[in-house]
Amino acid sequence: GAGVSQTPSNKVTEKGKYVELRCDPISGHTALYWYRQSLGQGPEFLIYFQGTGAADDSGLPNDRFFAVRPEGSVSTLKIQRTERGDSAVYLCASSPSQGTYGELFFGEGSRLTVL
Amino acid sequence: GQQLNQSPQSMFIQEGEDVSMNCTSSSIFNTWLWYKQEPGEGPVLLIALYKAGELTSNGRLTAQFGITRKDSFLNISASIPSDVGIYFCAGQYIQGAQKLVFGQGTRLTINP
């Protein structure tokens, strides 16, 4: 499809397990973002990639969270030793360039539930 | 961290009514944006504002970037059932930074 694709759409895991969430941005979009949305809240910034490099990872809550984008396209958000508080919808977004501030195209999200 | 105060938190209106919601911040923002989110979907951009005082329309939607750069409003005229959803304001407050800060959202419900 033409939009941002995220997999899995739903993930249920147990406390302490490792989780990977994948994002496939819109073709040609150089900027990629991860946000986290808790129930009843707005999205919260996690990390921003420009190409292959993480240009801003100031939103990652702790060192259990890590994201990569090795070829400048698909990105994976990795969460180690999951905790119940990690339960949320993880949204990925992309944009065509740095110049279009804030004009993000979001995927449908990956809903993570940690039991 | 930086937060946006969005109000009202929820609105229950009749079809055909006009809607107004706003967002305020204690800090100056360089960019204000309004997004809409429907159940099971990601937010979709409605309007982007880049200059203080800017007033922009998108169909029945009108948004303004406050002249103090600390607030923005969104108006929807003649609401229709497909306007139902959660509306988020978002802002970029650090020059050159790409990250956005989002408000808590305004949930709009429309009675036909």
Side-chain angles (χ1 to χ4, degrees), chain B residues 10-109:
Chain B
S10 60
M11 303 184 73
F12 298 85
I13 64 169
Q14 297 295 123
E15 183 178 351
E17 288 185 11
D18 296 344
V19 171
S20 183
M21 60 190 78
N22 69 79
C23 210
T24 60
S25 168
S26 58
S27 299
I28 290 173
F29 275 63
N30 296 315
T31 305
W32 282 97
L33 306 108
W34 288 90
Y35 282 83
K36 179 188 177 188
Q37 187 174 29
E38 299 184 23
E41 305 285 330
V44 175
L45 180 67
L46 300 173
I47 292 180
L49 303 156
Y50 298 108
K51 288 177 57 176
E54 181 180 355
L55 183 71
T56 297
S57 292
N58 178 7
R60 293 177 296 104
L61 277 60
T62 302
Q64 184 158 30
F65 191 142
I67 57 173
T68 65
R69 297 169 66 188
K70 293 184 178 181
D71 64 328
S72 177
F73 72 74
L74 175 70
N75 289 339
I76 305 172
S77 63
S79 58
I80 59 177
S82 62
D83 291 334
V84 166
I86 303 176
Y87 291 79
F88 291 100
C89 61
Q92 177 225 10
Y93 71 102
I94 299 176
Q95 188 69 36
Q98 289 290 313
K99 61 186 174 186
L100 297 180
V101 176
F102 281 80
Q104 310 98 311
T106 295
R107 182 182 295 274
L108 180 62
T109 303

Side-chain angles (χ1 to χ4, degrees), chain A residues 84-106:
Chain A
R84 292 194 179 88
D86 298 336
S87 296
V89 175
Y90 289 82
L91 293 166
C92 178
S94 67
S95 68
S97 71
Q98 267 183 299
T100 51
Y101 290 126
E103 296 184 21
L104 306 183
F105 296 81
F106 283 88

Side-chain angles (χ1 to χ4, degrees), chain A residues 34-73:
Chain A
W34 285 98
Y35 282 78
R36 177 168 70 175
Q37 187 173 25
S38 299
L39 191 63
Q41 301 295 316
E44 178 186 22
F45 171 81
L46 295 177
I47 187 169
Y48 154 62
F49 288 89
Q50 182 60 237
T52 60
D56 184 350
D57 64 358
S58 61
L60 294 178
N62 52 60
D63 61 6
R64 294 187 298 105
F65 289 74
F66 189 72
V68 295
R69 193 185 186 198
E71 297 179 356
S73 179

